[in-house]
Amino acid sequence: VLDYTAVSKTKNCYPNNAIRAVWRSKIGGRNGCNCSLCDLLVDENNDPFYDSPELKDYMNKWDGQVFIDALQLDKNKEILEIGLGTGRIAVKVAPYCKRLTGIDISPKTIQRAKENLKSYSNISYINGDFISHEFKEKFDVIYSFLTMMHFKNKAYVIDKIDSLLNNDGIFC
């Protein structure tokens, strides 16, 4: 269990200058993600974007309005979602930001996200590995939900996130 007490945190979001203080020496390893589970969800038409109302209510305890509020979104912010999946959270974020970039390693989930989020013109999609992708821009907010467990070298991921955040940017 990580000790977050030394970090100035706001509703589970951390200012970029505090990210490494929490993670750097605590977690290590190598990166690796097997996207076969994500592909299987799409293949079996078990897309979380279309979860039942009961399951959506359950998941909203973690990624509902409290989480969205913690992102401190506004129409001037550039956002990055690591692990876009089929767009279950992006649909809650896209209406409130200038631009949302979603990256996911699974081509099937990216394709499904494009279908699910087709009504939003402010979303760009990257089918690739967050670790090896060379981003050309920085972001005001970076978030990842149910994705960090797929990265073996979490310290490297946190360092990369830190390098991609604008000054005063946040990671949730």
Side-chain angles (χ1 to χ4, degrees), residues 2 4 12 14 19-20 22-24 27-34 67 80-84 89 103-104 130-131 142-162 171-172:
L2 298 175
Y4 294 101
N12 297 324
Y14 301 91
I19 292 172
R20 277 186 250 145
V22 174
W23 291 92
R24 178 170 278 282
I27 302 172
R30 284 191 55 202
N31 178 43
C33 175
N34 181 345
F67 178 74
L80 173 64
E81 180 176 355
I82 304 168
L84 177 67
I89 299 174
I103 185 166
D104 202 289
F130 172 74
I131 295 295
I142 299 175
Y143 69 91
S144 178
F145 199 82
L146 297 175
T147 305
M148 291 299 286
M149 68 241 186
H150 296 293
F151 295 110
K152 290 183 181 174
N153 189 341
K154 291 169 181 56
Y156 179 83
V157 171
I158 295 300
D159 284 345
K160 183 162 184 172
I161 290 168
D162 183 50
F171 169 59
C172 293

Side-chain angles (χ1 to χ4, degrees), residues 62-93:
W62 292 276
D63 62 17
Q65 196 59 49
V66 171
F67 178 74
I68 300 305
D69 291 345
L71 296 175
Q72 302 173 26
L73 300 172
D74 69 48
K75 290 289 190 177
N76 297 312
K77 291 191 176 178
E78 303 272 346
I79 314 297
L80 173 64
E81 180 176 355
I82 304 168
L84 177 67
T86 62
R88 184 176 65 83
I89 299 174
V91 71
K92 301 174 188 180
V93 173

Side-chain angles (χ1 to χ4, degrees), residues 120-135:
Y120 297 98
S121 61
N122 65 333
I123 302 176
S124 60
Y125 305 88
I126 301 169
N127 179 214
D129 181 359
F130 172 74
I131 295 295
S132 60
H133 185 78
E134 294 185 22
F135 292 88

